[in-house]
Amino acid sequence: MANETEELNYDDYTHDFMGKVGNIQDFSRDFLVGLARVFEDTLNFVPYAHVTTYSPKVGINAAMDVAAAVSRAGMRQVMPMGRFIAPPGWDWKNAQYQAIPFDVQTEDLTKEGLIRLIKSYWDQYLKGHNYFIDQWTKIIPEEDVWLGLPDMYQLIIDYEYPKLAKVFKIEPVHVVDFLKLATLSIDGTLGYGGEYIVYNPDHVVLNMRRCEVLQKYTDEGLYPPERAWMNCTFEQRISAPFFPGCKLDINLPPKDFKFAENEPFCVWTYTRGEENHQAAAAAPDPRLSAMKKIPIMPVSSSPS
């Protein structure tokens, strides 16, 4: 990992979109401290977003019970704790039974430590959402749970994006700006990657060659095939809030998840502005184009 972390060391994301997903190793330790803090804030915000979205369907008490169950499971923060050393019947206020606490803060970590921490936050965030869905579907019809997800993600994005933009030192306007935020957000894990074709800052195509849901989480048993397909069919509605003012089209994978050689899982087309919408609509079939492995084009200096 040392060689990777020394290759690039950006303090912000004011440079061109790099066409990478989850490339935290390309950024400085100070940048990663800020990013980790945003992720910590967002993890704390997630239960609020779920409760706000689904409490109208089940009542605030039942919704808070779900959040409490999740807080004791996937969303529980794990840090070293070994402060108290005492026999049965101990008096916890007695200093002789207390060790000096090992209090590690995010800013105490090295760059390599921050990378490991952020990867843990990514995994915790996605698995926490899945655990929430498991609990909601026990008390709410599953279709209603999925229909509520876009509003729930909108709450998270409205909270997280301004914080990310501050760390990145950007004011997002174009598709490539929102891609910067999305690909390094708490949703921007290493699992959703492929080739980005940037025609201009407001017209981008992603040939997704790796899908965390259909690979890692399905293999782990976290996502049964039925839920994986449900995730696919709702992905456009769930992901659209990550690109405000833009249009997102997704060419879905085959329902049986059987792929030809060089065939991507799915193809995402991001556009902003009517001219770019029309250009995307007139383009050849995106899945067939992706199988030809069209090379990535450089980002132009201004939108078309």
Side-chain angles (χ1 to χ4, degrees):
M1 180 178 289
N3 290 336
E4 287 183 4
T5 57
E6 291 170 2
E7 186 176 347
L8 296 170
N9 210 39
Y10 292 112
D11 288 323
D12 54 43
Y13 207 161
T14 55
H15 52 281
D16 285 346
F17 174 55
M18 300 172 72
K20 300 179 182 180
V21 179
N23 56 314
I24 52 177
Q25 72 279 357
D26 293 337
F27 293 84
S28 70
R29 179 188 172 279
D30 288 345
F31 180 96
L32 296 183
V33 168
L35 188 66
R37 285 299 190 198
V38 173
F39 286 8
E40 290 161 2
D41 292 347
T42 305
L43 283 170
N44 285 320
F45 185 83
V46 165
Y48 168 81
H50 274 275
V51 168
T52 300
T53 301
Y54 295 109
S55 60
K57 300 181 184 299
V58 298
I60 187 64
N61 287 355
M64 285 303 299
D65 285 346
V66 169
V70 175
S71 73
R72 291 189 291 270
M75 300 300 286
R76 180 169 61 89
Q77 297 293 313
V78 179
M79 288 295 283
M81 292 185 69
R83 181 177 180 184
F84 299 108
I85 306 166
W90 66 298
D91 177 4
W92 66 271
K93 294 182 180 180
N94 191 323
Q96 69 175 312
Y97 297 141
Q98 296 187 34
I100 298 172
F102 181 61
D103 185 15
V104 176
Q105 299 296 321
T106 300
E107 57 266 22
D108 295 329
L109 299 177
T110 63
K111 180 173 178 178
E112 288 74 15
L114 287 164
I115 289 173
R116 290 172 57 196
L117 179 66
I118 287 169
K119 288 180 179 179
S120 174
Y121 286 159
W122 277 333
D123 203 45
Q124 185 180 57
Y125 171 81
L126 290 170
K127 289 179 177 176
H129 276 310
N130 192 68
Y131 192 89
F132 261 117
I133 292 173
D134 280 342
Q135 303 311 305
W136 293 130
T137 55
K138 293 176 181 177
I139 56 178
I140 301 172
E142 185 164 3
E143 184 176 358
D144 290 341
V145 173
W146 284 92
L147 288 171
L149 287 177
D151 290 338
M152 187 274 298
Y153 277 104
Q154 185 69 67
L155 289 171
I156 293 173
I157 293 159
D158 288 345
Y159 177 78
E160 183 190 17
Y161 263 23
K163 292 174 176 288
L164 286 178
K166 187 175 180 179
V167 173
F168 291 15
K169 299 179 183 178
I170 65 171
E171 294 184 10
V173 175
H174 303 294
V175 165
V176 289
D177 299 326
F178 292 113
L179 278 169
K180 292 178 182 180
L181 297 175
T183 55
L184 285 180
S185 74
I186 201 166
D187 262 286
T189 75
L190 292 167
Y192 302 96
E195 301 107 22
Y196 283 90
I197 307 166
V198 183
Y199 294 104
N200 67 63
D202 284 321
H203 184 182
V204 181
V205 173
L206 165 63
N207 298 328
M208 188 179 288
R209 305 268 176 205
R210 173 169 171 76
C211 175
E212 197 149 43
V213 168
L214 296 187
Q215 290 178 305
K216 177 182 176 184
Y217 292 140
T218 301
D219 291 344
E220 289 181 355
L222 189 73
Y223 266 71
E226 297 79 11
R227 179 171 291 179
W229 177 246
M230 183 71 77
N231 189 90
C232 289
T233 60
F234 273 86
E235 188 64 48
Q236 192 280 334
R237 280 174 279 183
I238 293 171
S239 296
F242 287 84
F243 302 91
C246 307
K247 182 179 179 182
L248 170 62
D249 288 319
I250 301 178
N251 183 289
L252 294 176
K255 191 172 182 178
D256 60 4
F257 299 138
K258 294 180 180 179
F259 301 91
E261 186 177 358
N262 295 328
E263 183 177 1
F265 282 103
C266 51
V267 182
W268 298 44
T269 301
Y270 313 84
T271 52
R272 175 176 174 270
E274 189 57 36
E275 183 178 349
N276 289 307
H277 297 334
Q278 292 178 6
D285 178 86
R287 185 166 292 274
L288 294 177
S289 297
M291 292 173 70
K292 297 177 182 177
K293 292 194 171 182
I294 300 173
I296 296 176
M297 298 169 61
V299 179
S300 60
S301 59
S302 61
S304 296

